[in-house]
Amino acid sequence: DAGVTQSPTHLIKTRGQQVTLRCSPKSGHDTVSWYQQALGQGPQFIFQYYEEEERQRGNFPDRFSGHQFPNYSSELNVNALLLGDSALYLCASSWLGVNTEAFFGQGTRLTVV
Amino acid sequence: DAKTTQPNSMESNEEEPVHLPCNHSTISGTDYIHWYRQLPSQGPEYVIHGLTSNVNNRMASLAIAEDRKSSTLILHRATLRDAAVYYCILGGGADGLTFGKGTHLIIQP
């Protein structure tokens, strides 16, 4: 089992551009969540997808959007990139339920210049 | 979201037990207590979680106060590989996790 895989591992973009990050969940998991982690801070919840719908959302602007595919993989899209969007973006997968643990990928390091 | 309070950092010696405290005085009756840790340059890793009773697994033990307003993560015999940031998180399990700044655990050889 490959666990949660994210691509790419590193990315450099220019202000104003758009970016797409990808996540493949752990085998058998149906729920994918995305987090943003700035340097020296804990991860911040962006949103969660289940059954191809956004189920829950954190305090992030509409520039952040996502998608979940029928095979449970997911994409995170960020439009109109700002310098402040530079961060480690983490994907976590789990089974939807009250008493479940989340498995995290290694993350995508996004640098906006 | 209910808030947790953890020390910014703690230091321990290798092969000794480590007790990592977490205060959560506003915890609700349905909130589980989750612990995750993040090793350098890695994504967070699940450690343990519980609701009311103390819990044990291969990685650690979780001791929950009777009034549930505090909990303690116990690493029974710390190794250098346990050096990480440890996060105490409250939640219903299915929802997104609300991470704080966590406790930076330093293990001295």
Side-chain angles (χ1 to χ4, degrees):
Chain A
D1 182 7
V4 178
T5 58
Q6 293 186 242
S7 63
T9 54
H10 295 83
L11 200 53
I12 299 174
K13 288 286 190 178
T14 304
R15 269 183 304 175
Q17 284 189 316
Q18 178 264 346
V19 69
T20 298
L21 310 181
R22 294 176 175 81
C23 172
S24 292
K26 182 176 168 64
S27 178
H29 284 181
D30 57 9
T31 303
V32 173
S33 302
W34 287 91
Y35 295 81
Q36 179 195 67
Q37 186 172 25
L39 211 57
Q41 303 295 316
Q44 300 300 304
F45 174 67
I46 303 174
F47 44 52
Q48 183 184 80
Y49 276 83
Y50 171 70
E51 290 190 340
E52 303 178 51
E53 297 284 336
E54 184 182 290
R55 178 180 172 271
Q56 193 184 24
R57 189 177 183 94
N59 188 25
F60 279 79
D62 292 345
R63 297 188 297 110
F64 290 78
S65 63
H67 189 78
Q68 185 180 34
F69 299 94
N71 67 353
Y72 306 120
S73 67
S74 177
E75 288 182 349
L76 164 65
N77 300 293
V78 187
N79 293 323
L81 284 167
L82 304 173
L83 295 180
D85 294 332
S86 295
L88 180 68
Y89 288 85
L90 294 158
C91 170
S93 73
S94 59
W95 290 284
L96 187 71
V98 176
N99 195 21
T100 60
E101 61 186 89
F103 290 78
F104 284 80
Q106 298 283 63
T108 294
R109 172 70 62 187
L110 172 65
T111 302
V112 182
V113 297
Chain B
D1 289 333
K3 186 177 170 59
T4 62
T5 304
Q6 299 179 252
N8 289 332
S9 66
M10 289 184 64
E11 200 167 310
S12 183
N13 295 320
E14 199 176 9
E15 299 188 4
E16 291 185 356
V18 180
H19 291 235
L20 295 164
C22 181
N23 288 318
H24 31 77
S25 58
T26 60
I27 189 171
S28 76
T30 57
D31 280 336
Y32 280 80
I33 302 160
H34 302 259
W35 283 83
Y36 283 77
R37 72 180 185 181
Q38 189 170 20
L39 279 64
S41 303
Q42 294 191 25
E45 173 188 32
Y46 168 83
V47 177
I48 199 166
H49 75 282
L51 184 62
T52 56
S53 304
N54 294 345
V55 184
N56 301 294
N57 66 19
R58 64 174 179 81
M59 289 181 69
S61 295
L62 177 59
I64 302 172
E66 197 168 331
D67 63 5
R68 299 209 329 126
K69 293 185 177 181
S70 65
S71 60
T72 302
L73 177 70
I74 303 165
L75 306 179
H76 295 285
R77 196 161 168 261
T79 70
L80 295 177
R81 289 173 295 178
D82 291 321
V85 179
Y86 286 77
Y87 297 98
C88 169
I89 301 166
L90 304 182
D95 295 334
L97 300 169
T98 301
F99 289 79
K101 292 191 174 181
T103 296
H104 185 198
L105 177 63
I106 300 164
I107 304 296
Q108 298 288 357

